[in-house]
Amino acid sequence: MPRYSPEEAAALAAAAHEVGHAVACQAAGLRVYAIRLTADRGFVKAADADPGDQDQVDGELVVLLAGLEAGARWAQKHSGLWRGEALRWSRGCSDSDLALFRRTKRNASVSPSRLESRARSMVAAQWGRIDRLSRRLADSGHLPVGQFN
């Protein structure tokens, strides 16, 4: 397992978080407009879900959870943290996502635990891609959106 400084680990986990959001957007059929990572913050700008399309509404909620899952999975795979510890560690950069999830989860057609399961499964299925793109995002600070649309 490669050893990372705390700063490198934080940057790569934050990059995984953002790539997790972007990959989940693609799975939900939501157009991605920008993916950025700076020293202070990262973000994915994407289209909002169509309120009349329940699959997109549920997908948008999965997008909010996918960042937490991807950051936690990065910590598990590269820092050797066990899952509970990795999730707690990843929550540090997921506060705004989780707050928005709590405010909007009532619009879902399934339970919050089912949405969490979907996010976890999607991140696991796409992990190789998320991990590879995370390194690129951490190095360059942005990714071309064409690979997500």
Side-chain angles (χ1 to χ4, degrees):
M1 180 179 320
R3 302 297 278 160
Y4 298 101
S5 71
E7 296 78 20
E8 290 171 318
L12 287 164
H17 173 104
E18 299 307 333
V19 173
H21 284 313
V23 169
C25 284
Q26 182 180 27
L30 300 173
R31 184 166 185 76
V32 176
Y33 298 114
I35 305 162
R36 301 270 189 258
L37 183 69
T38 66
D40 316 37
R41 68 186 290 263
F43 68 91
V44 172
K45 182 170 176 41
D48 291 330
D50 173 2
D53 183 340
Q54 191 61 51
D55 288 338
Q56 276 193 5
V57 171
D58 290 347
E60 189 173 54
L61 289 163
V62 169
V63 167
L64 292 171
L65 298 171
L68 170 70
E69 287 293 336
R73 189 168 184 93
W74 188 93
Q76 282 182 273
K77 298 287 186 185
H78 296 289
S79 291
L81 301 180
W82 54 275
R83 180 160 168 75
E85 189 177 23
L87 280 169
R88 280 191 297 279
W89 185 73
S90 184
R91 284 188 199 284
C93 60
S94 299
D95 289 341
S96 62
D97 297 333
L98 294 173
L100 182 55
F101 177 82
R102 284 189 295 277
R103 286 192 308 271
T104 59
K105 67 183 178 184
R106 69 181 175 284
N107 300 324
S109 65
V110 297
S111 70
S113 62
R114 181 72 180 132
L115 295 169
E116 290 169 3
S117 177
R118 287 181 186 176
R120 188 170 34 259
S121 295
M122 188 276 311
V123 167
Q126 294 289 323
W127 179 247
R129 182 177 180 213
I130 293 169
D131 193 31
R132 185 176 59 257
L133 291 173
S134 297
R135 295 175 212 275
R136 287 180 43 201
L137 178 58
D139 288 344
S140 68
H142 71 281
L143 289 175
V145 297
Q147 57 198 322
F148 300 103
N149 295 320

